[in-house]
Every structure is written in C-alpha cells, then in structure tokens.
C-alpha cells in the first residue's frame, strides 16, 4: 500500500487543509481531505487509465462553497430533524433551524465545515486515514469524534464513524458522497441501481418523515431488482431489509463493466439525484447516504440515534468495487 500526504489548500484563517491518498496493489486510490473529513476522490485503473468514480472537486475553494455537501462527513446527525428542542435523559439542547423551520445536516453545528486533525498509516495489506475532532456546539455534550477511511488490496473501503460524549446526545453521522461511474457531468439515468428494501419513508412537503413506511412494490421506489434509474428525481429514504442476504445497495455502470456495492450496520439509505450545474435538468450525480433512518429520534421504530454519556458508538459503511475483468 502507498500512503501520500500533501497540502490541499489554506483556509481563510490560515489553517492548512491536508489531503491523504491511499493506493492499493490494483492502483485503486482514495483521497480524503481534512476539511469536513471529506471523501475527495475514489478512482480505479482500467487499461492503465485512471477513472474517477466520485463527483468531486480538485480545489479547496469549491469545498468551501459546497451547498450539495459533496463528499463531506455529515454529523452529529445526518438528514433532517423535525424538532429543534430536545430533552434526552436529562440533557436539554436547542438547535438553530436552517431548512423550513427544521434542521438539515445538523445546521450550523456540522462536521462538514471545520478542519479535522488527520493522520494516515500503512497497515501492510491495507492502509487508513484517521480524522479526529472534538465538538462543543448546540448539541448536548462535548463530543470526541473520529472518522476512519480504510482501504485494502481487495478494493474494499470501510468508513468507520466513532463518537463518545460527555452528556447524552444524538449521533447519526454519514458520508454525503456522490457517484458517477462513467465520469463527472455525464448523465446518470442509465446507471443501474438495486436496493435491498421493501419499504420507503413517507415525507411531507418539506421532506420531513411523517412516521409512515410505504411499500415499494409497484412504485418508483422498487429497486428490489437491478434496473436503470431513469429520469425520476429522488431525495428519499429506503428502509433496508434486515434479513437481506447480500449488500444493501448496488450501483452498476450502464455497460455493466463496473459495480459498486455499499452496505452498513444501520437500517437506512438516502438516495439523492442532483446536478451541480443548475443550468441543466440532466442528473449527473447520485448520492448514496448510509445512515439510521432520518428523524429517527422523533419516530418510534426508526432506530436509536441516542449516544449515552461516556459510551462509545461505532458505525461502519463498506464500499466494494468489482470490475468486469475481476468477475
């Protein structure tokens, strides 16, 4: 494994943003930058040519003005929260709304808009990047958080989130990563998606979950079998089947030469189609956000995102690349 550390740019306050790159024996590379603990690049080599799989930027300025949260680590809580005031086992806190009176991606308290401390190390047949940061914000408790990117020689990438807080608090972090397996700015409508799910969340006109789960069958949300995304727009949460035999999500290039599978130890995935270039209606980026179901703290049966004081919680998301020549 190769490990490279470089300067990626400088923040307005003078702090340096570091970029860490891991490369395995197959020349698969990942790069993560310290600003936002952001996943900046994920590339494979095909016939000696590097192919980028993420929709990403090559300069820091773009990440400082990034309304789509490309590649950012989102926390303490990813997705939307329908309330701004909370009492959790004696801990009270109030959040500042930033989305139609609700809180999106933790609002002003996000993991995504600060510079983390980063270190990388070679583990032999794997290598990892570790980002650490302590957060003392509107959420209850001082939170010590860690995000680890670990790549091995079999083209498996694990992203591991860990947190411990001085008070009872909320913890539902995720990676807001966007994929396009055929190249940036290309239409994703013919990408093929599969989700191991029987239900999705019903939402109101502000995209807040109502608490109801709706069957996918015979709707646009039915990706039980691999098929093209088409022209539909998605900004929705699927309930992952807890009895699934394979991975939670599979994404395949239009020519079926490249497949990315994604799985996690949590119960939901949010899929969001977007185009960073607002001048076109063509969707060029597909976000796959593995997390506990959005707004879980406000809906029974959505999952537990409470982090008890002085206890450590750890979550893992796994990405696996499969090229046609590997099959």
């Amino acid at each position: 494994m190769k490990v490279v550390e470089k300067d990626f740019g400088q923040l307005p306050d003078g702090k340096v943003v570091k970029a860490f790159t891991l490369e395995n024996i197959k020349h698969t590379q990942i790069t993560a930058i310290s600003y936002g603990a952001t996943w900046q690049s994920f590339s494979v080599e095909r016939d000696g040519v590097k192919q980028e799989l993420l929709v990403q930027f090559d300069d820091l300025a773009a990440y400082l003005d990034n309304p789509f949260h490309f590649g950012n680590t989102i926390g303490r809580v990813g997705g939307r929260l329908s309330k701004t005031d909370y009492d959790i086992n004696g801990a009270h806190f109030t959040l500042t709304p930033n989305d139609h009176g609700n809180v999106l991606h933790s609002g002003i308290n996000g993991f995504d808009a600060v510079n983390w401390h980063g270190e990388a190390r070679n583990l032999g047949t794997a290598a990892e990047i570790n980002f650490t940061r302590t957060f003392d914000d509107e959420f209850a408790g001082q939170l010590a958080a860690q995000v680890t990117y670990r790549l091995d020689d079999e083209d498996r990438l694990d992203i591991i989130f860990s947190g411990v807080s001085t008070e009872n608090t909320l913890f539902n972090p995720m990676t807001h990563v966007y994929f396009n397996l055929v190249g940036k700015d290309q239409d994703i409508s013919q990408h093929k998606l599969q989700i191991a799910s029987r239900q999705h969340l019903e939402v109101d006109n502000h995209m807040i979950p109502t608490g109801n789960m709706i069957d996918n069958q015979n709707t646009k949300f039915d990706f039980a079998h691999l098929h093209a995304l088409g022209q539909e727009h998605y900004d929705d949460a699927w309930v992952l089947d807890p009895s699934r035999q394979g991975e939670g999500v599979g994404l395949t290039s239009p020519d079926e030469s490249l497949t990315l599978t994604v799985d996690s130890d949590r119960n939901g995935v949010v899929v969001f189609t977007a185009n960073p270039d607002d001048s076109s209606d063509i969707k060029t980026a597909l976000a796959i956000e593995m997390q506990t179901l959005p707004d879980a703290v406000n809906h029974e049966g959505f999952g537990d995102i409470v982090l008890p004081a002085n206890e450590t919680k750890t979550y893992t998301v796994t990405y696996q690349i499969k090229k046609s020549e590997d099959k």
Side-chain angles (χ1 to χ4, degrees), residues 18 20 34 114-119 129-133 145 147:
K18 293 289 186 177
F20 302 88
S34 57
V114 295
N115 203 27
W116 295 58
H117 173 71
E119 294 181 348
I129 307 160
N130 291 297
F131 293 114
T132 54
R133 172 113 185 178
V147 182

Side-chain angles (χ1 to χ4, degrees), residues 200-233:
H200 63 279
L201 299 188
E202 180 183 64
V203 295
D204 65 18
N205 59 347
H206 292 312
M207 305 305 296
I208 297 295
T210 65
N212 296 325
M213 298 182 184
I214 307 298
D215 288 344
N216 297 334
Q217 192 171 14
N218 299 320
T219 73
K220 74 172 189 175
F221 301 95
D222 189 356
F223 286 94
H225 302 286
L226 189 71
H227 67 85
L229 281 164
Q231 300 297 331
E232 292 281 1
H233 172 62

Side-chain angles (χ1 to χ4, degrees), residues 116-128:
W116 295 58
H117 173 71
E119 294 181 348
R121 59 177 180 160
N122 193 331
L123 305 174
T125 58
E128 65 182 26

Side-chain angles (χ1 to χ4, degrees), residues 271-299:
V271 172
F272 175 52
T273 53
N275 187 339
D277 180 2
D278 291 333
S279 66
S280 172
D281 292 330
I282 296 173
K283 300 298 187 293
T284 59
L286 176 72
I288 300 175
E289 308 160 33
M290 308 297 282
Q291 62 182 95
T292 305
L293 292 169
D295 206 29
V297 68
N298 297 311
H299 301 283

Side-chain angles (χ1 to χ4, degrees), residues 78 172-175 195-201 213 236-242 244 247-249 262-271 287-296 301-305 315-317 319:
N172 187 17
M174 57 87 164
T175 304
I195 305 176
S197 170
R198 300 174 185 175
Q199 294 181 309
H200 63 279
L201 299 188
M213 298 182 184
D236 298 280
W238 278 256
V239 184
L240 292 175
D241 185 351
R244 63 187 182 274
E247 293 82 1
V249 180
V262 191
D263 207 8
S264 80
D265 47 15
R266 287 185 280 172
N267 66 355
V269 58
V270 173
V271 172
I288 300 175
E289 308 160 33
M290 308 297 282
Q291 62 182 95
T292 305
L293 292 169
D295 206 29
F302 274 28
D304 180 14
I305 64 169
Y315 302 116
T316 301
V317 181
Y319 304 82

